[in-house]
Coordinates of all heavy atoms in Angstrom, one line a residue:
A287 N -10.5 -9.6 -34.2 CA -11.8 -9.0 -34.4 C -11.7 -7.5 -34.6 O -10.9 -6.8 -33.9 CB -12.7 -9.3 -33.2
V288 N -12.5 -6.9 -35.5 CA -12.4 -5.5 -35.9 C -13.7 -4.9 -35.7 O -14.8 -5.4 -36.1 CB -11.9 -5.4 -37.3 CG1 -11.8 -3.9 -37.7 CG2 -10.5 -6.1 -37.5
D289 N -13.7 -3.7 -35.1 CA -14.9 -2.9 -35.0 C -14.6 -1.6 -35.8 O -14.1 -0.6 -35.2 CB -15.3 -2.6 -33.6 CG -16.6 -1.7 -33.5 OD1 -17.6 -2.2 -33.9 OD2 -16.5 -0.6 -33.0
P290 N -14.9 -1.5 -37.1 CA -14.4 -0.4 -37.9 C -15.1 0.9 -37.5 O -16.3 0.9 -37.1 CB -14.8 -0.8 -39.3 CG -15.1 -2.3 -39.2 CD -15.6 -2.5 -37.8
P291 N -14.4 2.1 -37.6 CA -15.1 3.3 -37.4 C -16.0 3.7 -38.6 O -15.8 3.1 -39.7 CB -13.9 4.3 -37.3 CG -12.9 3.7 -38.1 CD -13.0 2.2 -37.9
V292 N -17.0 4.5 -38.4 CA -17.9 4.9 -39.4 C -17.2 5.6 -40.5 O -17.4 5.5 -41.7 CB -19.1 5.7 -38.8 CG1 -20.0 6.2 -40.0 CG2 -19.8 4.9 -37.8
T293 N -16.3 6.5 -40.1 CA -15.5 7.3 -41.1 C -14.0 7.2 -40.8 O -13.6 6.5 -39.8 CB -15.9 8.8 -41.0 OG1 -15.6 9.3 -39.6 CG2 -17.3 9.0 -41.3
G294 N -13.2 7.8 -41.6 CA -11.8 7.6 -41.4 C -11.0 8.9 -41.5 O -10.0 9.0 -42.2
H295 N -11.4 9.9 -40.6 CA -10.7 11.1 -40.6 C -10.3 11.4 -39.2 O -10.5 10.6 -38.3 CB -11.6 12.3 -41.1 CG -12.9 12.4 -40.5 ND1 -13.1 12.8 -39.2 CD2 -14.2 12.0 -40.9 CE1 -14.4 12.8 -38.9 NE2 -15.1 12.3 -39.9
A296 N -9.7 12.6 -38.9 CA -9.1 12.9 -37.6 C -10.1 12.9 -36.5 O -9.8 12.6 -35.3 CB -8.4 14.2 -37.7
G297 N -11.4 13.1 -36.8 CA -12.4 13.2 -35.7 C -13.1 11.8 -35.5 O -14.1 11.7 -34.8
S298 N -12.7 10.8 -36.2 CA -13.3 9.5 -36.2 C -13.1 8.8 -34.8 O -12.1 9.1 -34.1 CB -12.8 8.6 -37.3 OG -13.0 9.1 -38.5
D299 N -14.0 7.9 -34.5 CA -13.7 7.0 -33.3 C -12.5 6.1 -33.7 O -12.1 6.0 -34.8 CB -15.0 6.1 -33.1 CG -16.1 6.9 -32.6 OD1 -15.9 7.9 -31.9 OD2 -17.3 6.6 -32.9
E300 N -12.0 5.5 -32.6 CA -10.9 4.5 -32.9 C -11.5 3.3 -33.6 O -12.6 3.0 -33.6 CB -10.3 4.1 -31.5 CG -9.5 5.2 -30.8 CD -8.9 4.7 -29.5 OE1 -9.7 4.1 -28.8 OE2 -7.7 5.0 -29.3
C301 N -10.6 2.6 -34.2 CA -10.9 1.3 -34.8 C -10.4 0.3 -33.8 O -9.2 0.1 -33.6 CB -10.2 1.1 -36.2 SG -10.6 -0.5 -36.9
G302 N -11.4 -0.4 -33.2 CA -11.0 -1.5 -32.2 C -10.5 -2.7 -33.0 O -11.2 -3.2 -33.9
I303 N -9.3 -3.2 -32.6 CA -8.8 -4.4 -33.2 C -8.2 -5.2 -32.0 O -7.2 -4.8 -31.4 CB -7.6 -4.0 -34.2 CG1 -8.1 -3.1 -35.3 CG2 -7.0 -5.3 -34.8 CD1 -7.0 -2.6 -36.2
L304 N -8.8 -6.4 -31.8 CA -8.4 -7.2 -30.7 C -8.0 -8.6 -31.2 O -8.7 -9.1 -32.1 CB -9.6 -7.4 -29.7 CG -9.6 -6.4 -28.5 CD1 -8.5 -6.6 -27.5 CD2 -9.6 -4.9 -29.0
V305 N -7.0 -9.1 -30.6 CA -6.5 -10.5 -30.9 C -6.8 -11.3 -29.7 O -6.4 -11.0 -28.6 CB -5.0 -10.5 -31.2 CG1 -4.6 -11.9 -31.6 CG2 -4.6 -9.5 -32.2
V306 N -7.6 -12.4 -29.9 CA -8.0 -13.3 -28.8 C -7.9 -14.7 -29.2 O -8.2 -15.1 -30.4 CB -9.5 -13.0 -28.4 CG1 -9.9 -13.8 -27.2 CG2 -9.7 -11.5 -28.1
G307 N -7.4 -15.5 -28.3 CA -7.3 -16.9 -28.6 C -8.1 -17.7 -27.6 O -8.5 -17.2 -26.5

Side-chain angles (χ1 to χ4, degrees):
V288 181
D289 182 62
V292 177
T293 58
H295 53 74
S298 301
D299 292 327
E300 291 181 312
C301 177
I303 304 174
L304 267 291
V305 186
V306 184

